[in-house]
Amino acid sequence: QVQLVESGGGLVQAGGSLRLSCAASEHTFSSHSMGWFRRAPGKEREFVAAITWNDGRTYYGDSVKGRFTISRDNANSMAWLQMSGLKPEDTAVYYCAASPGRYRLADAGMYAYWGQGTQVTVSS
């Protein structure tokens, strides 16, 4: 099965940048779409970004469009989330996830595997 481990979270000032990494096990990684979700204190889980396994098509949540970029490297079984122009409301635990499909990737229910999460805190 696919195992995911996130890293790169931390404390950053508003307007700053941060790059999150997701290391995946080699097993069937290239056949899984990758996604990032986040959960802020007292809020529901929110879709952040996704990239398909077959053609590398990307999708973003409305709140992060133009600021975040998702990418992947199948040869190294890695996915990244580059975050720029960070805002205090971006503060959350960020989760990497893998889906066996390439549709409805904004729906958390489409993902079969999840990492443990990494904390991102943006100060005012």
Side-chain angles (χ1 to χ4, degrees):
Q1 66 184 71
V2 176
Q3 294 179 307
L4 307 173
V5 180
E6 305 98 331
S7 63
L11 176 64
V12 64
Q13 293 182 328
S17 299
L18 204 62
R19 186 174 188 251
L20 305 183
S21 298
C22 177
S25 61
E26 184 179 0
H27 182 61
T28 67
F29 173 80
S30 62
S31 296
H32 283 76
S33 298
M34 302 299 297
W36 288 93
F37 291 78
R38 67 187 183 185
R39 174 166 282 170
K43 298 178 64 178
E44 296 292 322
R45 179 170 51 190
E46 179 186 16
F47 169 71
V48 176
I51 183 167
T52 60
W53 63 264
N54 59 321
D55 59 3
R57 193 175 189 90
T58 58
Y59 303 89
Y60 297 94
D62 290 340
S63 63
V64 306
K65 287 180 179 178
R67 299 189 297 122
F68 292 8
T69 301
I70 187 172
S71 59
R72 68 186 297 163
D73 181 353
N74 289 346
N76 292 293
S77 300
M78 294 287 296
W80 299 272
L81 183 69
Q82 177 66 50
M83 305 183 293
S84 300
L86 285 164
K87 307 173 182 179
E89 50 263 47
D90 293 319
T91 295
V93 177
Y94 284 71
Y95 299 90
C96 177
S99 171
R102 58 188 178 94
Y103 300 110
R104 297 174 57 197
L105 293 178
D107 182 353
M110 301 303 295
Y111 294 81
Y113 306 101
W114 293 81
Q116 294 300 306
T118 185
Q119 176 70 48
V120 172
T121 302
V122 184
S123 62
S124 302

